[in-house]
Amino acid sequence: VFFGSLTGLGFCYSITKGPENATVLAGSEARFNCTVSAGWRILIWLSKGNPVLTVLSSQGSVETTERFTSHNYTSGDQFTSELIIQDTQLSDSGRIECSIQQPSDNNFAFLSVQVNGSLLIKNSTLTVRENQTIEIVCEALGWAPAPDITWMRNDSLVDKSSYITQQSPGSHGLHNSLSTLTLTPRDTEVLTCLADIEALPSPQNATVTLIFDNSATENDYSEDNRSTWVIVLAVVLSFLGIVLLIVIIVVVVRCCLKRRESTYENEIRKVSAEKKKDGDLENSHRSGSENLGYIPEELWNTEQSPGLASLPPMSSKFAGPDDNLHISSVPKV
């Protein structure tokens, strides 16, 4: 009777099936179910210890945020509350708990939110020659957790000893991986890099096609021809550079010579002008001091100078003081 009265008062309800662990990709939905027996009054969902949604038997769900909603189901005397977390984020990872304010061992689970990053191989096609060893690099950026990387050669898995994968932390709690595959192709083939995490339904992949080229002779000839053209081009450019240098030197020398000749001619003209000026000045002085009326003594001799007019003979008588004095005029020379 006592236990029956407790059941009637609602003290014997419990969680019959608690939530289960879930792993989802970031941005998708996460769902958790909690089933309780009849007589329950209140059910509280907690995320990492914080209450996010409350369900009352008399009122239904009380939602406090848009990201956390619920659907409720009743089957017989059992009640099931389904918690739906929309647009999951990396920070949502942690413990999800269903509480009815009664001790229970199966009232919590764990949510793991994973991030699907990028995967790439820089070259989509590569041309390789016979006996050539190459390295193919596959980059996985922005993953959480770090992905598991494998390689496939055509349709077969590549042995792990043929490649090396290195991991490094990225920003915002993400991870980066770098896988390098080393091989010597013997034929045209397709290589595939696979990156996988638990939340992915299938691994993400990136491929590269190796084109096998056995015409090594043609390639060598092409390389030799290219080298020859490089040498010829270098010689021609060197010759043109030398010619250009010689032309520049000749132009500079001619300019200097012309400038020097021009300076010399100017000096000659100056000297000639000064000499001419001095000669004109000397002639000017000489013409100004010449006495045109000067006659040397030897020219006074009439016999030697017939051009000179003879003076009339002087009178033997001199006139007296009372007489008029007559002087014959002497012609001017």
Side-chain angles (χ1 to χ4, degrees):
V1 173
F2 176 74
F3 284 106
S5 62
L6 290 179
T7 304
L9 294 174
F11 287 97
C12 291
Y13 61 89
S14 62
I15 297 176
T16 59
K17 186 178 181 180
E20 297 179 353
N21 297 337
T23 301
V24 298
L25 287 174
S28 62
E29 291 183 350
R31 295 174 178 262
F32 297 91
N33 291 329
C34 182
T35 303
V36 295
S37 60
W40 68 278
R41 295 291 182 270
I42 185 171
L43 189 151
I44 303 174
W45 285 101
L46 299 95
S47 174
K48 295 190 292 188
N50 300 317
V52 293
L53 188 140
T54 302
V55 182
L56 301 175
S57 61
S58 60
Q59 186 177 350
S61 301
V62 179
E63 300 175 356
T64 57
T65 176
E66 295 181 355
R67 292 184 59 240
F68 295 89
T69 60
S70 70
H71 287 166
N72 301 323
Y73 309 94
T74 300
S75 176
D77 60 348
Q78 291 186 339
F79 172 81
T80 300
S81 175
E82 183 182 32
L83 174 68
I84 304 173
I85 305 176
Q86 299 178 359
D87 188 21
T88 55
Q89 302 173 6
L90 190 61
S91 58
D92 293 330
S93 298
R95 178 169 169 159
I96 302 297
E97 185 177 356
C98 171
S99 174
I100 57 173
Q101 297 181 337
Q102 292 288 338
S104 177
D105 295 334
N106 59 346
N107 64 337
F108 65 89
F110 288 95
L111 170 63
S112 176
V113 179
Q114 299 183 349
V115 178
N116 179 22
S118 63
L119 186 71
L120 60 94
I121 298 176
K122 292 183 178 179
N123 298 321
S124 58
T125 58
L126 286 175
T127 301
V128 294
R129 295 184 299 175
E130 187 176 1
N131 299 325
Q132 180 184 0
T133 301
I134 61 172
E135 291 184 349
I136 309 297
V137 179
C138 180
E139 291 181 318
L141 305 176
W143 292 70
D148 182 21
I149 295 183
T150 56
W151 287 86
M152 291 190 67
R153 193 169 182 175
N154 292 331
D155 295 327
S156 303
L157 285 173
V158 177
D159 188 81
K160 291 185 177 181
S161 61
S162 300
Y163 57 90
I164 299 175
T165 302
Q166 298 175 337
Q167 298 178 356
S168 60
S171 59
H172 307 292
L174 302 178
H175 302 272
N176 302 326
S177 296
L178 188 70
S179 184
T180 304
L181 173 65
T182 304
L183 74 163
T184 304
R186 293 183 296 272
D187 199 357
T188 297
E189 52 191 353
V190 178
L191 298 176
T192 305
C193 174
L194 303 171
D196 190 24
I197 53 178
E198 183 181 355
L200 279 177
S202 60
Q204 188 178 162
N205 63 81
T207 60
V208 57
T209 302
L210 299 182
I211 300 175
F212 187 74
D213 185 10
N214 55 4
S215 57
T217 306
E218 295 180 1
N219 291 335
D220 292 339
Y221 175 77
S222 177
E223 292 180 359
D224 293 340
N225 194 16
R226 189 181 300 111
S227 301
T228 303
W229 275 108
V230 169
I231 295 173
V232 171
L233 183 60
V235 172
V236 171
L237 291 178
S238 301
F239 177 75
L240 292 177
I242 294 174
V243 171
L244 181 61
L245 181 61
I246 293 174
V247 171
I248 292 174
I249 294 174
V250 170
V251 171
V252 171
V253 170
R254 291 193 61 182
C255 290
C256 293
L257 291 177
K258 286 184 177 181
R259 184 175 299 176
R260 185 175 299 175
E261 289 176 359
S262 176
T263 305
Y264 178 74
E265 290 176 357
N266 291 335
E267 293 295 332
I268 294 298
R269 291 194 185 101
K270 288 182 180 180
V271 172
S272 300
E274 290 179 359
K275 287 184 177 180
K276 183 176 181 182
K277 183 177 179 181
D278 293 340
D280 294 340
L281 184 59
E282 183 178 356
N283 292 332
S284 174
H285 286 304
R286 181 180 300 171
S287 60
S289 62
E290 185 176 1
N291 186 2
L292 299 177
Y294 172 75
I295 300 175
E297 294 181 355
E298 57 272 13
L299 294 180
W300 285 98
N301 189 351
T302 56
E303 294 178 356
Q304 298 178 359
S305 302
L308 212 45
S310 60
L311 295 176
M314 306 237 351
S315 175
S316 60
K317 292 183 178 180
F318 291 93
D322 295 333
D323 298 330
N324 294 330
L325 180 64
H326 295 282
I327 302 173
S328 62
S329 62
V330 179
K332 295 181 179 180
V333 177

